[in-house]
Amino acid sequence: MNVEFGPLDLTLRSPFRIARGTQHVAHNVQIEVAYDGLVGLGEAAPSAFYGERRETVLSALPSLAEALGDDPTFLEDATTGFDRAFPHGNAAAKAALDMALYDLLGKRLGMPVYRLLGLNPAATPRTSFTIALDTPAEMARKARDAGEYPLLKIKLGTAYDLEIVRAIRDATSATLRVDANAAWTPKEAIRTITALADYDIELVEQPVAAGDLEGLRLVREHAPLPVFADESCVTLEDIPRIAGCVDGINIKLMKCGGLHTALKMIHTARAHHLQVMLGCMIESSLAITAAAHLSPLVDYADLDGALLVADDPFRGVTVEHGKLVLPDAPGLGVHRRAT
Ligand code: MG
């Protein structure tokens, strides 16, 4: 087995501003795992919020690769090995290897990943398309321009959140979700969400600080829209303690360490009567496609990372009238775009 990796810079079509900062370029990492004549592809999209940078991914990958046994298609052993090498964190680095192993296994068996998981590709949900923070007028313009997507996710967490939603609601009849990225206090959240309920909003993501589970519970009890946790729910062991505080959770490969753990999270969330959204960071079609293979299992998808990127080097899942369309080639079904 041979593992090779290197930097993958993705330039955003327009600056991606959320409540805690602005991103122009995603400094990701791509990886190739060669084994028995086949090559599995993977990608890490490290997030500083979760303690990772490109440098930490590059320095973690050799130890993670070493933790793999002789047969990289033993996915359960691989995940155990990754978590033994790094019991906490390094989730994006783990996710890159994990998705490369799923790609390898699918290619080895000659079937797409969704099929080896027993999932129906017709059951994929629609994905939202994100409108990043800007002036209300500019966000309304972007919402109008995004007419091909029937579902929009509106970033909030400003002093003028209601103006934003009012301007966007006037500009489009799309289904709207909002994401405050932990910017509100519980009191502000209840007040804002109560006002937002007049604008036909589907759900609210991460209204309050990541560590404030009681705040989430309070908001859920007093605000009239469904509340989803993103920053508050990172990996498997977060689920039992967040159950009862929210209506659903946003699972991301780059938070939890890959498809193998994401699958366990989906089933654990179901056992706790939570709804499930699959989300992403700024990622190419490689990592987005990996997540999309799990999407027939979830209620909501926010897998728009590659749509926000100007120089996506890969081709995989596509979006038709908002719906995720999975590739049917073996493995992840991702190919490098011809240049
Ligand atoms: Mg979010």
Side-chain angles (χ1 to χ4, degrees), residues 300-314:
Y300 302 96
D302 177 34
L303 295 176
D304 65 341
L307 303 172
L308 306 174
V309 162
D311 49 3
D312 182 359
F314 295 102

Side-chain angles (χ1 to χ4, degrees), residues 14-334:
S14 56
F16 191 73
R17 187 178 146 220
I18 67 166
R20 59 176 164 264
T22 305
Q23 200 176 358
H24 299 267
V25 178
H27 299 291
N28 292 0
V29 173
Q30 56 185 324
I31 174 168
E32 289 188 7
V33 179
Y35 175 73
D36 202 18
L38 296 167
V39 176
L41 302 174
E43 176 182 1
S47 163
F49 185 80
Y50 300 104
E52 289 186 279
R53 289 171 293 114
R54 173 184 282 166
E55 293 70 29
T56 66
V57 172
L58 294 174
S59 68
L61 279 172
S63 318
L64 290 171
E66 219 164 278
L68 287 173
D70 294 335
D71 187 337
T73 60
F74 292 156
L75 300 170
E76 181 67 23
D77 290 359
T79 298
T80 305
F82 298 159
D83 289 340
R84 201 172 288 141
F86 297 104
H88 303 288
N90 293 109
K94 292 172 184 172
L97 259 175
D98 163 278
M99 78 179 72
L101 301 186
Y102 269 90
D103 193 26
L104 261 180
L105 180 57
K107 284 170 175 167
R108 200 173 162 89
L109 300 176
M111 60 175 73
V113 168
Y114 68 77
R115 186 170 290 283
L116 73 88
L117 297 174
L119 302 177
N120 178 355
T124 56
R126 297 186 303 176
T127 178
S128 50
F129 178 82
T130 301
I131 307 295
L133 286 178
D134 207 319
T135 62
E138 191 54 21
M139 290 175 76
R141 187 188 64 76
K142 285 180 180 157
R144 212 175 291 118
D145 288 351
E148 63 190 290
Y149 304 107
L151 258 178
L152 299 178
K153 176 151 116 180
I154 312 302
K155 290 294 190 180
L156 293 180
T158 68
Y160 46 92
D161 287 338
L162 282 178
E163 283 173 64
I164 291 172
V165 173
R166 216 174 282 140
I168 291 177
R169 187 74 290 173
D170 283 347
T172 174
S173 58
T175 300
L176 302 181
R177 304 169 179 166
V178 303
D179 185 355
N181 285 112
W184 299 327
T185 65
K187 231 170 150 181
E188 284 169 347
I190 293 166
R191 197 174 55 226
T192 309
I193 297 167
T194 302
L196 287 177
D198 292 340
Y199 296 93
D200 193 15
I201 307 295
E202 183 181 40
L203 59 88
V204 178
E205 212 177 296
Q206 198 63 42
V208 301
D212 190 5
L213 299 196
E214 281 317 301
L216 283 175
R217 186 194 298 276
L218 199 71
V219 174
R220 184 187 182 218
E221 278 171 6
H222 295 280
L225 296 174
V227 175
F228 274 60
D230 179 0
E231 286 88 337
S232 296
C233 187
V234 179
T235 189
L236 194 54
E237 52 267 33
D238 293 329
I239 294 177
R241 55 180 169 255
I242 209 162
C245 300
V246 292
D247 297 286
I249 60 169
N250 183 343
I251 297 173
K252 298 178 180 173
L253 302 184
M254 300 301 157
K255 292 193 295 183
C256 73
L259 291 97
H260 207 67
T261 301
L263 272 167
K264 294 178 183 178
M265 287 184 77
I266 292 168
H267 298 304
T268 304
R270 297 302 186 197
H272 287 87
H273 307 290
L274 289 164
Q275 290 193 291
V276 178
M277 176 189 291
L278 258 179
C280 64
M281 305 298 180
I282 303 300
E283 301 164 10
S284 79
S285 285
L286 173 49
I288 293 294
T289 303
H293 278 278
L294 303 181
S295 72
L297 284 170
V298 306
D299 308 294
Y300 302 96
D302 177 34
L303 295 176
D304 65 341
L307 303 172
L308 306 174
V309 162
D311 49 3
D312 182 359
F314 295 102
R315 206 160 31 83
V317 67
T318 55
V319 180
E320 283 173 28
H321 307 296
K323 188 176 160 70
L324 295 164
V325 179
L326 292 169
D328 61 3
L332 296 175
V334 172

Side-chain angles (χ1 to χ4, degrees), residues 4-22:
E4 284 184 21
F5 48 87
L8 172 64
D9 279 341
L10 301 174
T11 309
L12 284 143
R13 291 182 188 276
S14 56
F16 191 73
R17 187 178 146 220
I18 67 166
R20 59 176 164 264
T22 305

